[in-house]
Amino acid sequence: MDGNPMTSRRDRIRDKIMSRVEIDETTGCYIWQGPTSGDKGRGRDYPRMSLDGQTVAVHIVMWTNEHGYVPGKKQLDHICRNRRCVRPDGPHLEMVTHRENMKRRDKARKAPPPKTEEN
Ligand SMILES: [Zn+2]
């Protein structure tokens, strides 16, 4: 038995998240099936869940669970461009600075738009 409370908490969180994702076998994305932040504002359509009574962003929780906290000046960027993907490794999530994230977004805007599920 593993007596480390941090380990069991991480496992509990991972299990809770993984029970609500669907794995895309083509891209390897962990597609969140639960609620999202809706279609309003900047944080639109990001996976949301309730954890210990708080509403949190699922991809950030997944990342923190595997890699540790995201410093205030850094953000998580979806390399796979799938906003509902919560996979914390591979070409899916990467920690970048806010500036780098904006730069990438500008670049993405000039490129053909990625496939989305909106409407
Ligand atoms: Zn992905």
Side-chain angles (χ1 to χ4, degrees), residues 8-24:
S8 58
R9 178 179 154 85
R10 281 171 56 176
D11 286 348
R12 182 170 62 84
I13 292 172
R14 190 189 296 113
D15 285 352
K16 184 170 175 174
I17 293 173
M18 290 310 289
S19 71
R20 299 185 79 174
V21 305
E22 223 163 69
I23 297 172
D24 185 319

Side-chain angles (χ1 to χ4, degrees), residues 27-31 78 80-82 85-87 91-93:
T27 62
C29 285
Y30 293 180
I31 311 293
H78 280 90
C80 61
R81 311 315 308 173
N82 193 335
C85 177
V86 298
R87 183 167 177 170
H92 297 272
L93 286 171

